[in-house]
Amino acid sequence: RFLLMNTENIKIDNSLIDKHIDFVDKWIDSKFQNSLKQYTAALDKYEINGATKILYSYVWNSFCDWYIELTKNRLYNSENEEIKSAVLTRAINHFDNMLRMIHPFMPFISEELWNMLEDRKEGESISIAQFPQTDTNKINKEAENKMEFVQNIVTSIRNIRGEMNIPPSKKIDAYLKTKTLETEQINYIKTLAKIDNLEFGSEIIKPKASASSVIKNCEIYIPLEGIIDLSVERERLSKEIKRLEGALIGVEKKLNNERFVNNAPSEVVEKEKAKKSDWEKSLEKLKTILGDLS
């Protein structure tokens, strides 16, 4: 629906297919080719379950969850009609190839959607369309690494928003302690994570009253003053910490009771152990967050 809706205002032009390429285009090409390679190998071995998992991961995690969102950034924020046309044309072509991969498992819906695309002749069927061909030259580890870095940063900032009850629509500032970040990456991070001001560098110092997160090659700081009511949040966290500490005392008494451990069914004992482990991790996380607010 998103792709077809935009074809009403943006021209599809296959002569632009290789123009205005950025690292996201290289990344989705690489993910597609890797997925196609694994998918066809699984089908050749009649590993049907494996093939569907590979296909699902590409369609849901790569194409829908990230690529479409990143495509919106260029379609809506660019004033250059040729760039919009190139971006949408590539997206439609990816969707076309994706439907061809899906067709063996979902023949009816893939046929219906495929015939909604442009330039279909009457009576033409996806069932006789050429299956996508593997091109290992398009597998690009550098582009995948760049994209993985963006994904990790955006996911971490979104997690901080959730933990701190920051409204998804509210613009925030972010400080990234990292050596390298390219302009293209910055633009996508600011859009996807709703960042107003983003600063980065290896000498970045954690601002006062900031939530923080650590990922590979980067420390993330989100200043909270003026974003949330710090006193209310501290009180909420303190109450939750006390509640968890009380719950842990209860479960530890159970696990320290030899009669319970020796006589209760093993699955009940394991459930209590899992509870204890989960609560300890949650407690540690909450204490870290509370410390960030001081």
Side-chain angles (χ1 to χ4, degrees):
R1 188 180 294 115
F2 165 73
L3 295 174
L4 293 177
M5 175 182 68
N6 278 285
T7 59
E8 296 173 7
N9 302 311
I10 301 172
K11 182 183 177 184
I12 299 299
D13 186 349
N14 282 300
S15 69
L16 300 174
I17 200 76
D18 295 319
K19 293 185 177 180
H20 307 292
I21 301 285
D22 72 0
F23 79 94
V24 171
D25 297 306
K26 294 175 183 177
W27 163 74
I28 195 65
D29 274 343
S30 186
K31 293 295 287 187
F32 175 76
Q33 290 299 331
N34 267 320
S35 301
L36 178 60
K37 184 180 177 182
Q38 295 168 20
Y39 175 73
T40 52
L43 287 181
D44 288 342
K45 296 175 185 176
Y46 299 99
E47 295 173 352
I48 305 303
N49 189 49
T52 57
K53 286 182 177 179
I54 293 162
L55 188 56
Y56 180 90
S57 178
Y58 170 74
V59 173
W60 187 250
N61 298 331
S62 298
F63 190 87
C64 295
D65 196 17
W66 288 98
Y67 179 63
I68 289 297
E69 289 304 307
L70 294 162
T71 298
K72 288 178 183 177
N73 186 53
R74 297 184 79 190
L75 289 181
Y76 297 157
N77 295 335
S78 174
E79 295 181 359
N80 187 315
E81 293 302 319
E82 186 174 290
I83 290 177
K84 290 182 181 181
S85 182
V87 169
L88 186 60
T89 300
R90 277 193 293 273
I92 291 285
N93 274 295
H94 277 297
F95 185 64
D96 184 331
N97 282 322
M98 189 174 76
L99 289 175
R100 296 177 196 225
M101 287 174 69
I102 291 171
H103 184 67
F105 297 103
M106 301 176 71
F108 301 109
I109 194 168
S110 58
E111 180 79 71
E112 181 74 15
L113 291 172
W114 192 75
N115 275 284
M116 289 181 182
L117 302 180
E118 285 191 352
D119 303 324
R120 304 293 177 231
K121 296 175 183 176
E122 189 177 349
E124 199 169 17
S125 171
I126 192 174
S127 63
I128 56 172
Q130 184 179 9
F131 198 76
Q133 301 299 302
T134 304
D135 183 357
T136 54
N137 291 324
K138 289 186 176 181
I139 295 176
N140 189 321
K141 191 63 181 172
E142 182 185 355
E144 290 196 31
N145 289 338
K146 283 183 182 180
M147 185 60 194
E148 183 182 6
F149 195 41
V150 169
Q151 289 172 315
N152 289 340
I153 291 171
V154 170
T155 300
S156 292
I157 294 174
R158 286 175 174 174
N159 288 340
I160 289 172
R161 280 180 172 276
E163 291 165 356
M164 295 300 176
N165 296 314
I166 301 172
S169 60
K170 192 173 184 67
K171 290 269 190 175
I172 57 175
D173 293 339
Y175 296 81
L176 309 181
K177 189 174 183 178
T178 184
K179 290 181 181 178
T180 56
L181 204 59
E182 296 179 2
T183 303
E184 287 178 343
Q185 290 174 300
I186 292 171
N187 291 337
Y188 284 120
I189 291 168
K190 289 180 74 173
T191 300
L192 294 177
K194 297 289 193 302
I195 302 297
D196 190 19
N197 176 58
L198 187 150
E199 294 184 24
F200 76 95
S202 56
E203 304 301 320
I204 287 287
I205 297 173
K206 181 182 178 181
K208 184 182 177 182
S210 292
S212 62
S213 179
V214 179
I215 61 171
K216 184 180 178 183
N217 299 325
C218 184
E219 293 178 30
I220 301 167
Y221 306 126
I222 305 296
L224 298 171
E225 200 163 5
I227 300 294
I228 61 172
D229 189 322
L230 295 178
S231 59
V232 170
E233 188 62 17
R234 287 191 198 102
E235 185 179 351
R236 184 188 72 81
L237 289 168
S238 296
K239 285 181 180 178
E240 183 62 13
I241 286 169
K242 284 181 181 178
R243 186 191 70 79
L244 274 178
E245 285 175 339
L248 270 171
I249 289 171
V251 79
E252 282 170 351
K253 280 183 180 178
K254 271 189 180 181
L255 292 173
N256 289 332
N257 185 330
E258 288 186 10
R259 289 181 63 188
F260 170 76
V261 174
N262 293 332
N263 297 323
S266 59
E267 61 268 22
V268 173
V269 176
E270 289 305 313
K271 188 176 181 180
E272 293 300 312
K273 287 181 179 178
K275 223 187 268 185
K276 179 176 180 288
S277 177
D278 289 343
W279 287 348
E280 284 175 339
K281 288 175 184 174
S282 297
L283 188 59
E284 184 181 353
K285 180 70 174 175
L286 288 172
K287 286 181 177 179
T288 300
I289 294 171
L290 184 59
D292 286 337
L293 297 182
S294 60

mmCIF file with all atom_site columns, all heavy atoms in Angstrom, residues 235-249:
data_model
loop_
_atom_site.group_PDB
_atom_site.id
_atom_site.type_symbol
_atom_site.label_atom_id
_atom_site.label_alt_id
_atom_site.label_comp_id
_atom_site.label_asym_id
_atom_site.label_entity_id
_atom_site.label_seq_id
_atom_site.pdbx_PDB_ins_code
_atom_site.Cartn_x
_atom_site.Cartn_y
_atom_site.Cartn_z
_atom_site.occupancy
_atom_site.B_iso_or_equiv
_atom_site.pdbx_formal_charge
_atom_site.auth_seq_id
_atom_site.auth_comp_id
_atom_site.auth_asym_id
_atom_site.auth_atom_id
_atom_site.pdbx_PDB_model_num
ATOM 1   N N   . GLU A 1 235 ? 11.075 8.798   42.080 1.00 0.00 ? 235 GLU A N   1
ATOM 2   C CA  . GLU A 1 235 ? 10.159 8.186   43.043 1.00 0.00 ? 235 GLU A CA  1
ATOM 3   C C   . GLU A 1 235 ? 9.582  6.881   42.502 1.00 0.00 ? 235 GLU A C   1
ATOM 4   O O   . GLU A 1 235 ? 9.495  5.875   43.219 1.00 0.00 ? 235 GLU A O   1
ATOM 5   C CB  . GLU A 1 235 ? 9.029  9.168   43.378 1.00 0.00 ? 235 GLU A CB  1
ATOM 6   C CG  . GLU A 1 235 ? 8.096  8.666   44.473 1.00 0.00 ? 235 GLU A CG  1
ATOM 7   C CD  . GLU A 1 235 ? 6.998  9.670   44.803 1.00 0.00 ? 235 GLU A CD  1
ATOM 8   O OE1 . GLU A 1 235 ? 7.066  10.815  44.305 1.00 0.00 ? 235 GLU A OE1 1
ATOM 9   O OE2 . GLU A 1 235 ? 6.074  9.301   45.544 1.00 0.00 ? 235 GLU A OE2 1
ATOM 10  N N   . ARG A 1 236 ? 9.202  6.890   41.230 1.00 0.00 ? 236 ARG A N   1
ATOM 11  C CA  . ARG A 1 236 ? 8.636  5.681   40.608 1.00 0.00 ? 236 ARG A CA  1
ATOM 12  C C   . ARG A 1 236 ? 9.655  4.542   40.602 1.00 0.00 ? 236 ARG A C   1
ATOM 13  O O   . ARG A 1 236 ? 9.340  3.398   40.935 1.00 0.00 ? 236 ARG A O   1
ATOM 14  C CB  . ARG A 1 236 ? 8.187  5.989   39.176 1.00 0.00 ? 236 ARG A CB  1
ATOM 15  C CG  . ARG A 1 236 ? 7.499  4.819   38.474 1.00 0.00 ? 236 ARG A CG  1
ATOM 16  C CD  . ARG A 1 236 ? 7.252  5.100   37.009 1.00 0.00 ? 236 ARG A CD  1
ATOM 17  N NE  . ARG A 1 236 ? 8.494  5.073   36.237 1.00 0.00 ? 236 ARG A NE  1
ATOM 18  C CZ  . ARG A 1 236 ? 9.059  3.937   35.810 1.00 0.00 ? 236 ARG A CZ  1
ATOM 19  N NH1 . ARG A 1 236 ? 8.522  2.760   36.090 1.00 0.00 ? 236 ARG A NH1 1
ATOM 20  N NH2 . ARG A 1 236 ? 10.161 3.996   35.093 1.00 0.00 ? 236 ARG A NH2 1
ATOM 21  N N   . LEU A 1 237 ? 10.898 4.886   40.230 1.00 0.00 ? 237 LEU A N   1
ATOM 22  C CA  . LEU A 1 237 ? 11.951 3.877   40.174 1.00 0.00 ? 237 LEU A CA  1
ATOM 23  C C   . LEU A 1 237 ? 12.277 3.334   41.566 1.00 0.00 ? 237 LEU A C   1
ATOM 24  O O   . LEU A 1 237 ? 12.497 2.126   41.729 1.00 0.00 ? 237 LEU A O   1
ATOM 25  C CB  . LEU A 1 237 ? 13.215 4.470   39.532 1.00 0.00 ? 237 LEU A CB  1
ATOM 26  C CG  . LEU A 1 237 ? 13.133 4.748   38.031 1.00 0.00 ? 237 LEU A CG  1
ATOM 27  C CD1 . LEU A 1 237 ? 14.317 5.593   37.583 1.00 0.00 ? 237 LEU A CD1 1
ATOM 28  C CD2 . LEU A 1 237 ? 13.092 3.441   37.236 1.00 0.00 ? 237 LEU A CD2 1
ATOM 29  N N   . SER A 1 238 ? 12.313 4.218   42.557 1.00 0.00 ? 238 SER A N   1
ATOM 30  C CA  . SER A 1 238 ? 12.605 3.792   43.933 1.00 0.00 ? 238 SER A CA  1
ATOM 31  C C   . SER A 1 238 ? 11.552 2.812   44.440 1.00 0.00 ? 238 SER A C   1
ATOM 32  O O   . SER A 1 238 ? 11.879 1.804   45.090 1.00 0.00 ? 238 SER A O   1
ATOM 33  C CB  . SER A 1 238 ? 12.668 5.010   44.864 1.00 0.00 ? 238 SER A CB  1
ATOM 34  O OG  . SER A 1 238 ? 13.745 5.857   44.505 1.00 0.00 ? 238 SER A OG  1
ATOM 35  N N   . LYS A 1 239 ? 10.273 3.083   44.146 1.00 0.00 ? 239 LYS A N   1
ATOM 36  C CA  . LYS A 1 239 ? 9.194  2.185   44.548 1.00 0.00 ? 239 LYS A CA  1
ATOM 37  C C   . LYS A 1 239 ? 9.323  0.827   43.862 1.00 0.00 ? 239 LYS A C   1
ATOM 38  O O   . LYS A 1 239 ? 9.128  -0.223  44.484 1.00 0.00 ? 239 LYS A O   1
ATOM 39  C CB  . LYS A 1 239 ? 7.836  2.813   44.201 1.00 0.00 ? 239 LYS A CB  1
ATOM 40  C CG  . LYS A 1 239 ? 7.416  3.936   45.130 1.00 0.00 ? 239 LYS A CG  1
ATOM 41  C CD  . LYS A 1 239 ? 6.054  4.482   44.720 1.00 0.00 ? 239 LYS A CD  1
ATOM 42  C CE  . LYS A 1 239 ? 5.619  5.616   45.655 1.00 0.00 ? 239 LYS A CE  1
ATOM 43  N NZ  . LYS A 1 239 ? 4.317  6.195   45.246 1.00 0.00 ? 239 LYS A NZ  1
ATOM 44  N N   . GLU A 1 240 ? 9.663  0.847   42.571 1.00 0.00 ? 240 GLU A N   1
ATOM 45  C CA  . GLU A 1 240 ? 9.802  -0.409  41.828 1.00 0.00 ? 240 GLU A CA  1
ATOM 46  C C   . GLU A 1 240 ? 10.992 -1.215  42.337 1.00 0.00 ? 240 GLU A C   1
ATOM 47  O O   . GLU A 1 240 ? 10.940 -2.448  42.425 1.00 0.00 ? 240 GLU A O   1
ATOM 48  C CB  . GLU A 1 240 ? 9.955  -0.109  40.325 1.00 0.00 ? 240 GLU A CB  1
ATOM 49  C CG  . GLU A 1 240 ? 10.045 -1.329  39.421 1.00 0.00 ? 240 GLU A CG  1
ATOM 50  C CD  . GLU A 1 240 ? 8.800  -2.203  39.454 1.00 0.00 ? 240 GLU A CD  1
ATOM 51  O OE1 . GLU A 1 240 ? 7.765  -1.767  39.979 1.00 0.00 ? 240 GLU A OE1 1
ATOM 52  O OE2 . GLU A 1 240 ? 8.880  -3.345  38.950 1.00 0.00 ? 240 GLU A OE2 1
ATOM 53  N N   . ILE A 1 241 ? 12.078 -0.518  42.708 1.00 0.00 ? 241 ILE A N   1
ATOM 54  C CA  . ILE A 1 241 ? 13.259 -1.196  43.265 1.00 0.00 ? 241 ILE A CA  1
ATOM 55  C C   . ILE A 1 241 ? 12.905 -1.872  44.591 1.00 0.00 ? 241 ILE A C   1
ATOM 56  O O   . ILE A 1 241 ? 13.266 -3.027  44.836 1.00 0.00 ? 241 ILE A O   1
ATOM 57  C CB  . ILE A 1 241 ? 14.425 -0.193  43.452 1.00 0.00 ? 241 ILE A CB  1
ATOM 58  C CG1 . ILE A 1 241 ? 15.025 0.162   42.080 1.00 0.00 ? 241 ILE A CG1 1
ATOM 59  C CG2 . ILE A 1 241 ? 15.505 -0.771  44.367 1.00 0.00 ? 241 ILE A CG2 1
ATOM 60  C CD1 . ILE A 1 241 ? 15.984 1.332   42.109 1.00 0.00 ? 241 ILE A CD1 1
ATOM 61  N N   . LYS A 1 242 ? 12.176 -1.155  45.466 1.00 0.00 ? 242 LYS A N   1
ATOM 62  C CA  . LYS A 1 242 ? 11.767 -1.731  46.752 1.00 0.00 ? 242 LYS A CA  1
ATOM 63  C C   . LYS A 1 242 ? 10.855 -2.941  46.543 1.00 0.00 ? 242 LYS A C   1
ATOM 64  O O   . LYS A 1 242 ? 10.957 -3.947  47.252 1.00 0.00 ? 242 LYS A O   1
ATOM 65  C CB  . LYS A 1 242 ? 11.042 -0.672  47.592 1.00 0.00 ? 242 LYS A CB  1
ATOM 66  C CG  . LYS A 1 242 ? 11.970 0.354   48.214 1.00 0.00 ? 242 LYS A CG  1
ATOM 67  C CD  . LYS A 1 242 ? 11.193 1.353   49.057 1.00 0.00 ? 242 LYS A CD  1
ATOM 68  C CE  . LYS A 1 242 ? 12.137 2.398   49.658 1.00 0.00 ? 242 LYS A CE  1
ATOM 69  N NZ  . LYS A 1 242 ? 11.400 3.427   50.446 1.00 0.00 ? 242 LYS A NZ  1
ATOM 70  N N   . ARG A 1 243 ? 9.951  -2.847  45.561 1.00 0.00 ? 243 ARG A N   1
ATOM 71  C CA  . ARG A 1 243 ? 9.040  -3.966  45.283 1.00 0.00 ? 243 ARG A CA  1
ATOM 72  C C   . ARG A 1 243 ? 9.815  -5.203  44.847 1.00 0.00 ? 243 ARG A C   1
ATOM 73  O O   . ARG A 1 243 ? 9.560  -6.315  45.317 1.00 0.00 ? 243 ARG A O   1
ATOM 74  C CB  . ARG A 1 243 ? 8.036  -3.566  44.198 1.00 0.00 ? 243 ARG A CB  1
ATOM 75  C CG  . ARG A 1 243 ? 6.942  -4.603  43.943 1.00 0.00 ? 243 ARG A CG  1
ATOM 76  C CD  . ARG A 1 243 ? 6.144  -4.291  42.706 1.00 0.00 ? 243 ARG A CD  1
ATOM 77  N NE  . ARG A 1 243 ? 6.920  -4.490  41.485 1.00 0.00 ? 243 ARG A NE  1
ATOM 78  C CZ  . ARG A 1 243 ? 7.144  -5.681  40.934 1.00 0.00 ? 243 ARG A CZ  1
ATOM 79  N NH1 . ARG A 1 243 ? 6.680  -6.793  41.493 1.00 0.00 ? 243 ARG A NH1 1
ATOM 80  N NH2 . ARG A 1 243 ? 7.842  -5.770  39.807 1.00 0.00 ? 243 ARG A NH2 1
ATOM 81  N N   . LEU A 1 244 ? 10.785 -5.006  43.934 1.00 0.00 ? 244 LEU A N   1
ATOM 82  C CA  . LEU A 1 244 ? 11.587 -6.124  43.447 1.00 0.00 ? 244 LEU A CA  1
ATOM 83  C C   . LEU A 1 244 ? 12.477 -6.708  44.537 1.00 0.00 ? 244 LEU A C   1
ATOM 84  O O   . LEU A 1 244 ? 12.666 -7.925  44.610 1.00 0.00 ? 244 LEU A O   1
ATOM 85  C CB  . LEU A 1 244 ? 12.446 -5.680  42.250 1.00 0.00 ? 244 LEU A CB  1
ATOM 86  C CG  . LEU A 1 244 ? 11.793 -5.742  40.876 1.00 0.00 ? 244 LEU A CG  1
ATOM 87  C CD1 . LEU A 1 244 ? 12.756 -5.237  39.809 1.00 0.00 ? 244 LEU A CD1 1
ATOM 88  C CD2 . LEU A 1 244 ? 11.344 -7.154  40.532 1.00 0.00 ? 244 LEU A CD2 1
ATOM 89  N N   . GLU A 1 245 ? 13.024 -5.831  45.375 1.00 0.00 ? 245 GLU A N   1
ATOM 90  C CA  . GLU A 1 245 ? 13.868 -6.314  46.484 1.00 0.00 ? 245 GLU A CA  1
ATOM 91  C C   . GLU A 1 245 ? 13.051 -7.202  47.426 1.00 0.00 ? 245 GLU A C   1
ATOM 92  O O   . GLU A 1 245 ? 13.532 -8.243  47.896 1.00 0.00 ? 245 GLU A O   1
ATOM 93  C CB  . GLU A 1 245 ? 14.475 -5.131  47.236 1.00 0.00 ? 245 GLU A CB  1
ATOM 94  C CG  . GLU A 1 245 ? 15.606 -4.459  46.477 1.00 0.00 ? 245 GLU A CG  1
ATOM 95  C CD  . GLU A 1 245 ? 16.126 -3.207  47.153 1.00 0.00 ? 245 GLU A CD  1
ATOM 96  O OE1 . GLU A 1 245 ? 15.384 -2.618  47.976 1.00 0.00 ? 245 GLU A OE1 1
ATOM 97  O OE2 . GLU A 1 245 ? 17.264 -2.801  46.863 1.00 0.00 ? 245 GLU A OE2 1
ATOM 98  N N   . GLY A 1 246 ? 11.796 -6.808  47.690 1.00 0.00 ? 246 GLY A N   1
ATOM 99  C CA  . GLY A 1 246 ? 10.912 -7.620  48.526 1.00 0.00 ? 246 GLY A CA  1
ATOM 100 C C   . GLY A 1 246 ? 10.586 -8.953  47.874 1.00 0.00 ? 246 GLY A C   1
ATOM 101 O O   . GLY A 1 246 ? 10.579 -10.004 48.533 1.00 0.00 ? 246 GLY A O   1
ATOM 102 N N   . ALA A 1 247 ? 10.324 -8.911  46.579 1.00 0.00 ? 247 ALA A N   1
ATOM 103 C CA  . ALA A 1 247 ? 10.012 -10.142 45.846 1.00 0.00 ? 247 ALA A CA  1
ATOM 104 C C   . ALA A 1 247 ? 11.210 -11.095 45.846 1.00 0.00 ? 247 ALA A C   1
ATOM 105 O O   . ALA A 1 247 ? 11.041 -12.314 45.967 1.00 0.00 ? 247 ALA A O   1
ATOM 106 C CB  . ALA A 1 247 ? 9.604  -9.804  44.415 1.00 0.00 ? 247 ALA A CB  1
ATOM 107 N N   . LEU A 1 248 ? 12.406 -10.532 45.720 1.00 0.00 ? 248 LEU A N   1
ATOM 108 C CA  . LEU A 1 248 ? 13.618 -11.362 45.719 1.00 0.00 ? 248 LEU A CA  1
ATOM 109 C C   . LEU A 1 248 ? 13.844 -12.038 47.072 1.00 0.00 ? 248 LEU A C   1
ATOM 110 O O   . LEU A 1 248 ? 14.286 -13.199 47.124 1.00 0.00 ? 248 LEU A O   1
ATOM 111 C CB  . LEU A 1 248 ? 14.842 -10.508 45.353 1.00 0.00 ? 248 LEU A CB  1
ATOM 112 C CG  . LEU A 1 248 ? 15.173 -10.420 43.871 1.00 0.00 ? 248 LEU A CG  1
ATOM 113 C CD1 . LEU A 1 248 ? 16.266 -9.382  43.634 1.00 0.00 ? 248 LEU A CD1 1
ATOM 114 C CD2 . LEU A 1 248 ? 15.616 -11.772 43.328 1.00 0.00 ? 248 LEU A CD2 1
ATOM 115 N N   . ILE A 1 249 ? 13.549 -11.330 48.136 1.00 0.00 ? 249 ILE A N   1
ATOM 116 C CA  . ILE A 1 249 ? 13.695 -11.930 49.472 1.00 0.00 ? 249 ILE A CA  1
ATOM 117 C C   . ILE A 1 249 ? 12.803 -13.171 49.582 1.00 0.00 ? 249 ILE A C   1
ATOM 118 O O   . ILE A 1 249 ? 13.221 -14.220 50.083 1.00 0.00 ? 249 ILE A O   1
ATOM 119 C CB  . ILE A 1 249 ? 13.337 -10.896 50.571 1.00 0.00 ? 249 ILE A CB  1
ATOM 120 C CG1 . ILE A 1 249 ? 14.412 -9.815  50.648 1.00 0.00 ? 249 ILE A CG1 1
ATOM 121 C CG2 . ILE A 1 249 ? 13.187 -11.591 51.934 1.00 0.00 ? 249 ILE A CG2 1
ATOM 122 C CD1 . ILE A 1 249 ? 14.054 -8.637  51.546 1.00 0.00 ? 249 ILE A CD1 1
#
